[in-house]
Amino acid sequence: MNKDIKYFGIDISALVFDVTDSDGNYYQFKNNGLGFEKFTKLLNNTSHCVMEATGYYHYQLAYHLLESGIKVSVENPLSVKRFIQMGLSKIKTDKSDSKLICSYAEQVDLKLWKGNSKNEIECLQINRALSVYTKQSTMLKNKLHGESVLGNPSKVVLTSLKRSLRQLQREIKLLEDKLLVLVKEVHQDLLTRLKTIPGIGPKTAITLVVLTGGFDRFTSAGELCSYAGLTPVIRQSGSSVKGRPRISKIGNQKLRNLLFMCSFNACQYNKDCRDLYERIVAKGKSKKLALIAVCNKLLKQAFAIAKSGLIFDQEYKSKLVRN
C-alpha cells in the first residue's frame, strides 16, 4: 500500500455507482455524466480509483476518470471475489462491495488501466456483434436442417428461415470486411506474420489481434496464456488428496475457444504442435489434455512472432526467421 495514495473502491451498476475511500467515507452517485462530474470533484492527483470489469457499465466512468487525469485500475471480478472470500465476509451489499474493493486496492499490486483507442473499441464491438450473428446463423442452419428432415416441411417456414439466414450472412460479410480494414490500418504487418503460423488462418489471426490489443497488453507469453485461461491448476491437499490437473478457465473464454478450434489443424500442419500432441498422448494422457497443450503452444508461437517482428518458418525446425 502506498500511503501517499488515496484509494477509491467503486462498485458500479446500471443506474448508480457506490464509492468507499481509504478513510472509510461512503458516497453514491448516478451512473451518468452529472454523477461522474460530482465524483471527480472529490479527486486529485493522489487519487487512485479501482473498479471491477462489469460488462459494459464501467466503461464510461473509467474513460471519464482517465480523461480527467485520474489513476484508474479495472480489475478482474474473479480476483476481487477471491479476495472477498479470503476475508470470509458474509455481508453482501453494494456499500460493503465498494468497501471491500477499496481494501483490495490497498493490499494488491494494481495495474493502471490505459483504455483502448477508437480503433480498438470499434474492433471489439464488431467482434462481439460477429459472435452474436455467428451463433444466430448456426441456430438458423440447425433449424433449417430440422425442418428439412420432416416428412412435409412448411414451405413458408423454410422460405422465411432461408431469407433470414441470407440476411445474416450479408451482415456477417459486411462486418468482417470492415473489421479487416480496421485491423490492417494499425496491424497490417502483425496480421501478415501471424498468418505464417500453420494452424492459424486469416480469421483467427484477425481475432487474435483484436482480443489481445495487438499483443501490446502483455509482457510475457505466460501472462497471455493466463489471460486465455490456459494455465494449469494443480489440486492437492497434503499427501492424500490429489486432483487431476486442469486448466484454470479464468480468462477470456472467446480466445480459449478460438485456440481450441485451431488446435485440430495445428496438430496436422504445425510440426511443433503435432510433436507435442503425439508426445503427450504417447504418455497415456488424454487427447483433450494434449489439445490444450497445443493451444498453449500456438499462443506462445503467436506471442513470439508478435514481439520479435519475425515470421514462422517450419522448414528450419520452427525457428523464427527475419522478414
Side-chain angles (χ1 to χ4, degrees):
M1 176 182 174
N2 190 331
K3 294 182 180 179
D4 297 326
I5 295 176
K6 187 173 183 178
Y7 294 96
F8 291 79
I10 303 171
D11 183 71
I12 193 161
S13 61
L15 299 178
V16 299
F17 62 97
D18 299 272
V19 180
T20 301
D21 64 24
S22 298
D23 298 326
N25 299 311
Y26 169 76
Y27 311 89
Q28 186 179 80
F29 303 93
K30 296 289 185 181
N31 189 8
N32 57 30
L34 182 60
F36 299 163
E37 292 294 340
K38 287 182 178 179
F39 175 47
T40 307
K41 290 178 181 179
L42 300 175
L43 311 175
N44 55 40
N45 59 1
T46 66
S47 302
H48 191 151
C49 297
V50 183
M51 64 190 78
E52 296 175 294
T54 53
Y56 299 101
Y57 297 140
H58 71 279
Y59 276 110
Q60 290 188 12
L61 175 58
Y63 275 109
H64 176 85
L65 294 171
L66 195 66
E67 291 167 2
S68 301
I70 304 298
K71 297 184 182 70
V72 183
S73 293
V74 179
E75 296 294 295
N76 188 324
L78 287 171
S79 299
V80 179
K81 182 180 178 181
R82 284 179 175 175
F83 175 85
I84 292 173
Q85 288 173 338
M86 288 175 64
L88 300 178
S89 175
K90 295 181 180 179
I91 302 172
K92 179 64 179 178
T93 66
D94 291 333
K95 183 176 180 179
S96 68
D97 280 351
S98 62
K99 183 178 180 180
L100 288 165
I101 291 171
C102 185
S103 298
Y104 169 88
E106 292 171 338
Q107 297 182 47
V108 303
D109 292 327
L110 298 168
K111 288 186 178 180
L112 291 179
W113 186 75
K114 298 179 181 178
N116 302 104
S117 66
K118 289 183 178 180
N119 179 286
E120 288 174 327
I121 292 171
E122 188 168 8
C123 285
L124 286 167
Q125 289 176 337
I126 291 175
N127 189 263
R128 285 193 288 264
L130 281 170
S131 295
V132 172
Y133 286 164
T134 301
K135 288 178 183 177
Q136 291 176 347
S137 176
T138 301
M139 289 172 64
L140 285 172
K141 288 176 182 177
N142 291 339
K143 183 63 175 173
L144 266 170
H145 175 73
E147 293 294 333
S148 64
V149 297
L150 290 174
N152 188 22
S154 168
K155 290 183 179 179
V156 174
V157 172
L158 288 177
T159 301
S160 176
L161 289 171
K162 289 177 180 177
R163 184 169 58 246
S164 297
L165 182 58
R166 285 195 299 270
Q167 179 60 34
L168 260 181
Q169 290 171 337
R170 282 194 291 268
E171 294 298 327
I172 289 172
K173 181 67 166 59
L174 285 171
L175 288 178
E176 285 179 342
D177 290 346
K178 179 60 176 177
L179 184 60
L180 179 60
V181 171
L182 289 171
V183 172
K184 281 185 173 181
E185 283 180 3
V186 182
H187 300 291
Q188 170 69 77
D189 177 61
L190 173 58
L191 194 62
T192 301
R193 288 186 285 109
L194 285 175
K195 288 188 289 186
T196 64
I197 302 174
I200 293 183
K203 289 185 180 180
T204 300
I206 291 171
T207 308
L208 274 174
V209 171
V210 172
L211 294 181
T212 63
F215 294 85
D216 291 336
R217 298 201 302 267
F218 304 95
T219 57
S220 69
E223 186 182 349
L224 178 56
C225 289
S226 295
Y227 171 74
L230 289 169
T231 50
V233 174
I234 306 299
R235 292 177 291 171
Q236 182 171 335
S237 177
S239 59
S240 58
V241 181
K242 294 183 179 180
R244 300 172 74 184
R246 56 180 178 82
I247 57 173
S248 66
K249 293 187 179 180
I250 300 172
N252 192 305
Q253 184 181 17
K254 190 178 295 183
L255 180 57
R256 190 165 60 251
N257 291 343
L258 176 72
L259 289 164
F260 192 76
M261 294 304 296
C262 292
S263 65
F264 296 96
N265 279 335
C267 287
Q268 284 186 285
Y269 305 110
N270 189 315
K271 186 179 183 302
D272 276 359
C273 291
R274 183 172 63 249
D275 291 347
L276 176 63
Y277 177 85
E278 292 174 350
R279 188 163 62 248
I280 292 174
V281 171
K283 291 180 179 179
K285 304 293 184 181
S286 71
K287 292 182 178 180
K288 185 176 181 180
L289 181 66
L291 287 172
I292 290 169
V294 169
C295 291
N296 262 293
K297 188 70 173 179
L298 270 177
L299 201 50
K300 288 175 180 178
Q301 288 177 344
F303 181 85
I305 282 175
K307 294 299 184 180
S308 66
L310 309 177
I311 63 171
F312 189 95
D313 192 332
Q314 193 162 242
E315 293 182 2
Y316 291 90
K317 295 183 180 179
S318 303
K319 289 182 181 179
L320 299 176
V321 297
R322 295 192 176 279
N323 276 320

